[in-house]
Amino acid sequence: MLTDLTYREALITDIPQIQYVRHAVKENTLSNPELVKDSDVEDYITRRGKGWVAIVNNTIVGFAIVSTADNNVWALFILPEFENKGIGKTLHNIMMDWYFSQTQETIWLSTGTGTRAETFYRLKGWEDAGAYGTEEIKFIMTYQKWLLLMK
C-alpha cells in the first residue's frame, strides 16, 4: 500500500522527472530518446492538452498526457517498480475524465503489440481499431462508451 501516493497536474518543472520515467520503462521504449524533446512535453502539457503525475516521496513515479488538439493519449507511463499498484489505472481515469470534460470527440492511442500496455487498454474498454504502423496497434474510445464504463 502506497500511503504517500498523490496525483496532481503536471508542471513544466516536472519535465526532467517525466523524461526519466519515460526512458526507464521496459516496454514501448523509444528507439531514439532524443525523439521526444523537453519542448515536446511542454507543448503537450501546456498547449495541446494536459498532463498529470503520480508522486511518491516527492518523486514522480508515473505520468499521463492527453492531447485535445490531436484527440489522442500522448503518453501513459509508470516506473517499472511501481507497476501493478493501480497508479496507471488512476492516471488513466483522471486523464480520460478530463479529456471528455473538454470534448466529446473520439480519442485514440497506439501501443506496441503483445505488450502489457495492450492488455491494459483492452481491460480498460478501449476498442481495437487495427494495426498502426508495423509494430503497433491503434485503440479508440468514444465518449458514449466512456460514460457507460464510468457508471
Side-chain angles (χ1 to χ4, degrees):
M1 180 80 176
L2 297 171
T3 56
D4 55 352
L5 173 64
T6 59
Y7 300 89
R8 65 165 168 75
E9 287 184 22
L11 307 171
I12 293 170
T13 54
D14 295 328
I15 292 174
Q17 286 189 69
I18 286 171
Q19 291 284 43
Y20 176 81
V21 172
R22 178 65 185 93
H23 297 143
V25 298
K26 306 273 191 254
E27 292 185 337
N28 291 322
T29 58
L30 292 170
S31 58
N32 177 357
E34 297 301 313
L35 291 175
V36 178
K37 297 177 177 31
D38 289 356
S39 58
D40 297 327
V41 178
E42 181 177 348
D43 188 39
Y44 275 88
I45 67 174
T46 62
R47 289 178 283 284
R48 301 184 75 75
K50 191 176 281 209
W52 296 265
V53 293
I55 302 168
V56 174
N57 294 327
N58 298 314
T59 301
I60 293 174
V61 300
F63 71 95
I65 300 173
V66 66
S67 171
T68 51
D70 305 306
N71 300 313
N72 83 316
V73 173
W74 193 65
L76 174 56
F77 293 97
I78 309 298
L79 284 175
E81 61 267 33
F82 288 91
E83 291 175 355
N84 299 312
K85 299 182 185 315
I87 296 169
K89 290 177 188 173
T90 300
L91 284 168
H92 174 270
N93 291 349
I94 292 168
M95 172 181 67
M96 295 296 290
D97 282 344
W98 180 83
Y99 176 82
F100 283 124
S101 77
Q102 305 300 303
T103 182
Q104 293 185 10
E105 292 294 320
T106 296
I107 188 170
W108 69 276
L109 64 85
S110 66
T111 194
T113 57
T115 61
R116 289 185 316 252
E118 177 185 352
T119 301
F120 172 85
Y121 290 115
R122 288 185 190 282
L123 290 172
K124 294 301 288 175
W126 287 77
E127 180 183 330
D128 183 336
Y132 187 78
T134 58
E135 298 178 15
E136 292 193 348
I137 186 168
K138 182 176 182 178
F139 287 103
I140 61 169
M141 176 74 70
T142 65
Y143 174 74
Q144 293 76 19
K145 184 163 187 182
W146 183 249
L147 290 179
L148 288 172
L149 290 170
M150 289 299 99
K151 285 187 175 182

